[in-house]
Amino acid sequence: MKARLTLWSRKAWRKAVGPISFGISCAVAVFLLAMAFMPSTATAAEPAWHRAGGFEFSDRLGGFHILSVTGAGTVDDPIVIDQDLNGLGPFVITIRNARLAGSVAAAPILRLWVVCRVRNVAAGVWVGFDVELQEELRRPSDYWDGLSFDQTRAVDRSAFHSDRFLVGERISEPHDRVRFKNGHVNSGGAVQFHFIITDMTPRDEFYLLQEPVLLFSLFPQSVPQSLSRIRG
């Protein structure tokens, strides 16, 4: 009788536990399958690096979208960066000099002709536009770090211009900046900015900040329209 009960108990135990074991096995299999696909998913989510002229350009810091980058970076074939900008900014392009990656040799002076073609996909009107260079993010590039918008003035100032703004003013202190003004870009409109980046001591990575100057026109009715403020 004891042997029969033991045999019956074993069969009952297997019958009861079988579905549970199968369920655990399925859960483990699904978990392992998900883990196997995680690296591919993470890689796909990384922002793209656009390559042109021996450089790499990325919108990885967010807030805007680089559509394409083309050109060699010369006066006859400048780097052309097509972008959509939405919001207040600043919009930061990360630039890598692929030719310097892992190199210990002295690099030649960098001189890069750039055209930024920008579409205003925000709701406001741009009445100015600033571009700024930084060797270290969120730290203004001073006069002595070598990175600038043609700090040596080797190129005529007419190379700094726009199709929608009359003036392209270079500012060396307290930061390296070009300020485009005397014009406007409506929401949905596009604009081109032409400038030159130079670096006397080239680095393998630096940053180009872009910041629209917005027209603020939403004020109480009691405030005369002539007093509408412009940030900048």
Side-chain angles (χ1 to χ4, degrees), residues 10-63:
R10 289 178 180 176
K11 291 181 178 180
W13 172 257
R14 290 174 181 173
K15 186 175 180 180
V17 173
I20 298 176
S21 299
F22 179 77
I24 293 175
S25 299
C26 289
V28 171
V30 171
F31 175 77
L32 292 176
L33 187 62
M35 290 292 290
F37 277 96
M38 279 184 67
S40 298
T41 304
T43 301
E46 292 180 358
W49 284 89
H50 302 265
R51 295 172 175 82
F55 292 82
E56 298 175 340
F57 304 80
S58 177
D59 52 16
R60 65 187 182 89
L61 295 177

Side-chain angles (χ1 to χ4, degrees), residues 79-83 93 114-118 129 131 163 191-195 208 210:
I79 293 289
V80 179
I81 309 173
D82 283 290
Q83 320 164 65
I93 300 177
V114 179
V115 178
C116 280
R117 296 199 300 214
V118 182
F129 199 94
V131 291
D163 61 342
V191 59
Q192 292 188 19
F193 301 103
H194 299 247
F195 51 87
L208 177 66
Q210 307 168 105

Side-chain angles (χ1 to χ4, degrees), residues 129-131 167-171 177-181 213 232:
F129 199 94
D130 288 355
V131 291
V167 177
E169 177 186 4
R170 287 177 287 188
I171 304 171
R177 179 174 292 186
V178 177
R179 172 160 294 170
F180 295 93
K181 55 187 180 181
V213 180

Side-chain angles (χ1 to χ4, degrees), residues 54-138:
F55 292 82
E56 298 175 340
F57 304 80
S58 177
D59 52 16
R60 65 187 182 89
L61 295 177
F64 71 114
H65 183 50
I66 293 179
L67 304 175
S68 66
V69 182
T70 59
T74 65
V75 62
D76 297 319
D77 185 18
I79 293 289
V80 179
I81 309 173
D82 283 290
Q83 320 164 65
D84 283 348
L85 270 56
N86 183 10
L88 299 177
F91 307 98
V92 182
I93 300 177
T94 304
I95 304 175
R96 289 178 180 171
N97 189 340
R99 293 173 292 189
L100 292 184
S103 175
V104 295
I109 294 175
L110 170 66
R111 179 165 284 113
L112 193 66
W113 276 259
V114 179
V115 178
C116 280
R117 296 199 300 214
V118 182
R119 189 162 64 102
N120 178 8
V121 296
V125 178
W126 297 345
V127 293
F129 199 94
D130 288 355
V131 291
E132 179 181 336
L133 290 168
Q134 292 184 358
E135 281 196 344
E136 298 180 25
L137 190 61
R138 290 181 290 273

